[in-house]
Amino acid sequence: MSTPARKRLMRDFKRLQQDPPAGISGAPHDNNIMLWNAVIFGPDDTPWDGGTFKLTLQFTEDYPNKPPTVRFVSRMFHPNSMTLYILFIHIVVFRNNKIILRY
């Protein structure tokens, strides 16, 4: 079934493939467009330099009006995360064909 959320996620995935942002990689998990695996590479000259941080993003049919639930698979400290390493991203914005995550 093709819903507005699934269509939007397919469009977002195509954008990521065409113009991937530096330091971030993501793709649907096992042909499930509603569940994504992602990797964030630690920025140079920061305490996270050289780090590889794996995440999962669980989208709902309310996307993009409701943000995905983001779960760190890699253990790491983040001041906005709970014990289970769940981070809720409040806004996912596309600006100039770039993904901007606002916490």
Side-chain angles (χ1 to χ4, degrees):
M1 179 166 78
S2 185
T3 63
R6 292 169 190 269
K7 288 178 184 176
R8 170 65 184 263
L9 286 166
M10 285 302 298
R11 213 169 48 239
D12 293 349
F13 181 50
K14 287 179 185 176
R15 280 186 179 171
L16 281 174
Q17 289 178 313
Q18 293 169 353
D19 187 21
I24 299 173
S25 173
H29 176 77
D30 290 339
N31 296 324
N32 180 359
I33 194 67
M34 304 302 282
L35 177 64
W36 288 37
N37 293 321
V39 177
I40 298 174
F41 302 100
D44 294 339
D45 301 321
T46 69
W48 300 276
D49 189 357
T52 302
F53 306 100
K54 296 179 182 179
L55 305 98
T56 60
L57 291 85
Q58 180 67 58
F59 295 89
T60 67
E61 292 294 341
D62 295 324
Y63 179 79
N65 297 320
K66 181 180 174 195
T69 299
V70 178
R71 180 182 298 259
F72 285 96
V73 177
S74 303
R75 292 184 60 95
M76 68 167 292
F77 171 77
H78 190 288
N80 292 343
S81 65
M82 300 182 321
T83 305
L84 297 175
Y85 302 97
I86 298 173
L87 172 69
F88 298 98
I89 297 177
H90 297 293
I91 302 172
V92 177
V93 179
F94 279 94
R95 184 175 296 143
N96 298 327
N97 293 326
K98 303 283 184 192
I99 293 179
I100 299 169
L101 304 178
R102 297 194 181 182
Y103 304 97

